[in-house]
Amino acid sequence: MKHTLSVLVEDEAGVLTRIAGLFARRGFNIESLAVGPAETVGVSRITMVVPGDDDTIEQLTKQLYKLINVLKVNDITQTPCVERELMLIKVNASAANRAEVIELVQVFRARIVDISEETVTVEVVGDPGKMVAIVQMLNKFGIREVARTGKIALVRESRVNTEYLKSLEAKL
């Protein structure tokens, strides 16, 4: 199972290196990693997606707390969250199929940020599921390049689980 960890750290040189080293020493892969300033000056939030079972993630969390500069670790996998990712994707778009590519981009509420005679570069923002879906749909045109930020997430203070709400809507 993939777990999403939200880690608050002191914003100092070498913190990310120590965290990456911890994962490497234990043979863990980080599937997604996003780092940026948090709400407090001098603190950064690291959001990472890590494969593993509950026991493994619990051990990893304990190890993270032992690192200097780590302030707080939350496994937010089962917590209702707002999750987003940014992706830039360059797709083949000749004159013959450009209209179809543009129409597909609009369906996903993405935007075209660059266009040439042969390609269209699309900016997509959304949850990780949306990223997978648009890549699948654009594959038939030929994808030239992809750049993704990795998932970022914040816990929903309302505690409303949108996945649960989506499943209710689907039944109606």
Side-chain angles (χ1 to χ4, degrees):
M1 179 178 175
K2 294 180 184 178
H3 288 259
T4 303
L5 300 179
S6 179
V7 183
L8 290 176
V9 298
E10 293 175 4
D11 189 11
E12 292 185 12
V15 174
L16 188 57
T17 302
R18 285 192 287 283
I19 289 173
L22 169 75
F23 279 74
R25 283 190 304 276
R26 282 157 183 71
F28 282 104
N29 184 34
I30 299 173
E31 291 188 6
S32 171
L33 180 69
V35 184
E39 58 281 359
T40 306
V41 175
V43 176
S44 290
R45 182 179 311 278
I46 301 172
T47 306
M48 59 180 94
V49 177
V50 182
D53 60 23
D54 291 340
D55 293 336
T56 303
I57 299 303
E58 185 179 336
Q59 262 317 107
L60 197 54
T61 299
K62 289 176 183 175
Q63 294 297 317
L64 282 168
Y65 270 120
K66 290 180 181 178
L67 292 178
I68 220 162
N69 306 112
V70 172
L71 304 172
K72 188 170 185 176
V73 180
N74 282 331
D75 181 355
I76 59 174
T77 309
Q78 301 298 328
T79 308
C81 293
V82 177
E83 300 175 336
R84 294 292 182 268
E85 193 170 335
L86 168 68
M87 177 173 60
L88 295 174
I89 183 166
K90 190 181 296 181
V91 182
N92 292 326
S94 63
N97 68 5
R98 179 164 288 136
E100 190 178 355
V101 171
I102 291 170
E103 185 179 324
L104 190 59
V105 167
Q106 290 172 343
V107 166
F108 280 90
R109 294 187 197 133
R111 21 181 243 141
I112 294 173
V113 292
D114 187 47
I115 194 163
S116 73
E117 289 183 23
E118 300 174 357
T119 66
V120 169
T121 302
V122 179
E123 173 189 88
V124 188
V125 177
D127 61 72
K130 180 178 181 178
M131 301 300 150
V132 170
I134 195 168
V135 167
Q136 286 177 344
M137 296 303 293
L138 291 173
N139 258 332
K140 68 180 178 182
F141 302 106
I143 295 173
R144 290 202 181 179
E145 293 180 70
V146 174
R148 291 174 73 164
T149 60
K151 179 168 61 170
I152 58 171
L154 288 177
V155 172
R156 286 185 182 275
E157 290 302 315
S158 65
R159 300 290 188 211
V160 173
N161 184 342
T162 54
E163 294 304 314
Y164 174 70
L165 293 176
K166 285 179 193 175
S167 71
L168 287 179
E169 285 178 0
K171 291 177 184 176
L172 298 177

